Amino acid sequence: METLSQNKAFGGTQGVYRHKSTSTQCDMTFGVFLPEEASDGPVPVLWYLSGLTCTHENAMTKAGAQAWCAEQGIAIVFPDTSPRGEGVADDEAYDLGQGAGFYVNATETPWAPHFNMWDYIADELPTLLGKEFSIDLDRQAITGHSMGGHGALTLAMGLPGRFTSVSAFAPICNPTASDWGRKQLTAYLGADEATWAKHDATLMMEQSGFDGPVLIDTGTEDQFLDLLKPEALASAANSRRQQATLRLQPGYDHSYFFVSTFMEEHIAFHADALYAR
């Protein structure tokens, strides 16, 4: 693992690191903020998964999360959204290929060799974090924005017992029924829609739900609202009587102005669950 940068922030350290990934077969970059308490022993960790076109850097510099994580004494991890580099498949469209990994393990050509973001987030990166940083892997929570909200929800429900809590900002809630989903799931996983179900938060909510608290915020002026389909997830949560808070925030759009506005509440929500474990 190579250290690219480290900066003092809110009493802790914001670092950026690079390593050779066996899951994606390329170099991967990620950010980690460690609060001051990490110098005394392992701290709980919150994962933040970013959306389409983003790298590790977007949320790290725009979301304002470090101040609230420092206040709560928890670490936050900012992974990249896809494999990158020469030899990694890409597409001219912004919503497929590099920057658009969708947190799945691709099975189709030309994506399969590198686009294994599920394994990277679920297995490889947590193992690396546990070895290299003062992080308590028995206390993990997860959140994300847009495509990353989709990833946070599907990982939380797909890995029972892993995360104390899950939240999302404007997540893609029902990708099997959305143009932000059907295109990518077909490309990465093939035409058999039965293989898509474990990557659709609405279908997973209907089938198994999440054993813990859920918090979701979406803006009423989100320019992608019809693609996100929050109403589908809300209906599934209601039918299942899932413990969840799903809010439509008046006037907010899809930007990081929206994310940063509600970041304090989301981090406090996760801190409550993390410290209860």
Side-chain angles (χ1 to χ4, degrees):
M1 190 184 73
E2 177 185 1
T3 300
L4 300 182
S5 65
Q6 286 184 328
N7 298 96
K8 189 79 170 180
F10 302 101
T13 303
Q14 175 62 64
V16 178
Y17 309 92
R18 181 166 57 208
H19 72 114
K20 294 186 182 299
S21 167
T22 55
S23 301
T24 65
Q25 299 186 50
C26 66
D27 287 347
M28 296 292 291
T29 302
F30 63 94
V32 178
F33 172 76
L34 292 174
E36 188 175 9
E37 289 85 349
S39 61
D40 297 323
V43 296
V45 60
L46 174 63
W47 292 80
Y48 182 99
L49 305 186
S50 288
L52 288 167
T53 76
C54 291
T55 69
H56 69 282
E57 189 173 22
N58 296 72
M60 190 180 77
T61 59
K62 294 180 179 181
Q66 293 90 339
W68 309 120
C69 285
E71 185 174 282
Q72 299 287 352
I74 64 178
I76 185 166
V77 181
F78 305 100
D80 203 348
T81 55
S82 78
R84 299 180 191 271
E86 290 187 23
V88 176
D90 201 7
D91 191 271
E92 292 182 357
Y94 76 95
D95 58 354
L96 186 67
Q98 295 187 35
F102 263 76
Y103 304 100
V104 304
N105 287 338
T107 58
E108 302 300 299
T109 304
W111 313 105
H114 300 285
F115 280 73
N116 296 299
M117 290 300 294
W118 180 281
D119 282 351
Y120 180 70
I121 299 297
D123 298 317
E124 184 178 1
L125 189 53
T127 300
L128 179 65
L129 294 174
K131 290 179 180 178
E132 299 288 343
F133 300 95
S134 186
I135 285 175
D136 181 1
L137 293 180
D138 289 329
R139 293 184 291 171
Q140 299 184 63
I142 192 166
T143 188
H145 174 226
S146 193
M147 179 187 71
H150 141 79
L153 290 165
T154 57
L155 280 154
M157 288 186 277
L159 299 169
R162 170 75 62 90
F163 301 103
T164 62
S165 46
V166 59
S167 75
F169 303 87
I172 302 171
C173 296
N174 193 194
T176 63
S178 169
D179 288 342
W180 267 2
R182 295 189 63 83
K183 169 185 175 180
Q184 294 83 1
L185 295 173
T186 300
Y188 294 142
L189 302 178
D192 181 3
E193 296 189 19
T195 66
W196 302 359
K198 64 182 179 180
H199 298 291
D200 186 304
T202 295
L203 300 182
M204 296 176 78
M205 181 64 74
E206 291 173 349
Q207 182 176 359
S208 59
F210 177 69
D211 185 19
V214 178
L215 172 63
I216 297 175
D217 280 312
T218 305
T220 61
E221 298 302 315
D222 192 307
Q223 56 270 50
F224 306 111
L225 198 55
D226 289 342
L227 295 169
L228 303 176
K229 298 189 177 298
E231 68 281 357
L233 183 61
S235 177
N238 286 337
S239 295
R240 189 169 187 80
R241 298 180 179 175
Q242 167 73 45
Q243 177 187 0
T245 301
L246 297 92
R247 307 186 297 195
L248 289 175
Q249 299 291 359
Y252 286 91
D253 59 16
H254 200 72
S255 70
Y256 267 95
F257 296 109
F258 156 67
V259 173
S260 61
T261 297
F262 298 99
M263 181 59 72
E264 178 184 8
E265 290 184 59
H266 281 242
I267 289 175
F269 162 81
H270 289 296
D272 285 346
L274 286 165
Y275 285 113
R277 175 170 281 189

